[in-house]
């Protein structure tokens, strides 16, 4: 298996949503996961939205973002048929490298309690618990 890591493009959008469903990450397809929003994000996060490809088949994703203070790892996911072969770790490393090139010295991720595969991956990749219990809140705009 020669899985390569490469930037995602808008043409990958359908495959990205399908991959997230297969990996049981999310079945969202609207708001920030809509095609139009994905296109905007790709423009603003050049080189940070990465895919793992086996030939033409998308088998993993990571969406790197930063808010100028801190880098964020989002939507790290690997096709179940490709898990446990180091693809998630490679995606994470590639995204970290791209974020560091953009000047980020701190990189963070939110991981749901109980997601042991992800918690283990981040622990093995050098991430430490940053806070105690975090209560995350979100608010949607009325037209969302
Ligand atoms: C988390 C995820 C991306 C890991 O991808 P992966 O390609 O399997 O990861 P790797 O092969 O690089 O694994 C690295 C380490 O993570 C840990 N890990 C990965 N899968 C694991 C599992 N099922 N159970 C326990 N630990 C696991 C192990 O420590 C592993 O190292 P090892 O194989 O040498 O023991 C993948 O399980 C996934 O897509 N999960 C569903 C989506 C998700 O929850 N994403 C994270 C959102 S925060």
């Amino acid at each position: 298996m020669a899985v390569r890591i490469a930037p995602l493009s808008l043409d990958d959008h359908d495959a990205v949503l399908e991959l997230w469903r297969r990996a049981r990450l999310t079945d969202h397809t609207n708001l920030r996961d809509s095609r139009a929003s994905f296109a905007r994000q790709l423009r603003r996060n050049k080189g940070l939205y990465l895919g793992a490809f086996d030939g033409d088949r998308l088998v993993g994703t990571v969406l790197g973002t930063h808010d100028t203070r801190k880098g964020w790892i989002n939507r790290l996911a690997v096709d179940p048929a490709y898990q446990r072969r180091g693809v998630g770790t490679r995606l994470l490393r590639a995204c970290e490298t791209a974020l560091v090139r953009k000047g980020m010295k701190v990189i963070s991720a939110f991981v749901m309690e109980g997601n042991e595969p992800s918690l283990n991956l981040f622990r093995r990749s050098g991430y430490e618990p940053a806070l105690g219990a975090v209560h995350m809140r979100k608010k949607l705009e009325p037209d969302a």
Side-chain angles (χ1 to χ4, degrees):
M1 179 191 62
V3 172
R4 69 194 162 87
I5 311 289
L8 288 168
S9 77
L10 189 54
D11 288 343
D12 298 314
H13 181 249
D14 288 344
V16 165
L17 297 185
E18 179 51 38
L19 171 72
W20 291 345
R21 266 194 297 275
R22 283 204 304 283
R24 296 178 184 274
L25 181 62
T26 178
D27 55 9
H28 289 176
T29 57
N30 61 353
L31 300 176
R32 67 186 180 278
D33 296 313
S34 70
R35 190 176 175 87
S37 180
F38 192 70
R40 260 195 317 277
Q41 294 164 44
L42 282 171
R43 283 196 297 275
R44 294 193 54 168
N45 296 287
K46 271 201 189 344
L48 297 176
Y49 277 30
L50 305 176
F53 295 87
D54 185 359
D56 289 339
R57 180 178 161 86
L58 182 72
V59 299
T61 62
V62 63
L63 309 186
T65 58
H66 73 80
D67 54 20
T68 72
R69 279 170 58 84
K70 204 186 255 195
W72 290 95
I73 303 294
N74 310 272
R75 298 284 162 91
L76 178 63
V78 173
D79 186 318
Y82 287 75
Q83 288 179 6
R84 223 58 201 264
R85 302 190 204 173
V87 176
T89 303
R90 284 178 58 201
L91 281 164
L92 178 58
R93 286 209 187 113
C95 194
E96 288 170 347
T97 301
L99 284 165
V100 168
R101 277 204 204 105
K102 292 194 186 280
M104 294 305 110
K105 297 197 185 298
V106 182
I107 300 176
S108 300
F110 285 114
V111 182
M112 297 293 279
E113 197 178 331
N115 188 344
E116 295 306 324
S118 184
L119 288 169
N120 286 342
L121 186 158
F122 279 105
R123 190 179 309 117
R124 284 180 56 121
S125 298
Y127 288 69
E128 294 172 357
L131 298 166
V134 174
H135 297 275
M136 190 179 172
R137 302 286 184 269
K138 73 176 178 187
K139 182 180 179 184
L140 299 182
E141 288 299 301
D143 63 345

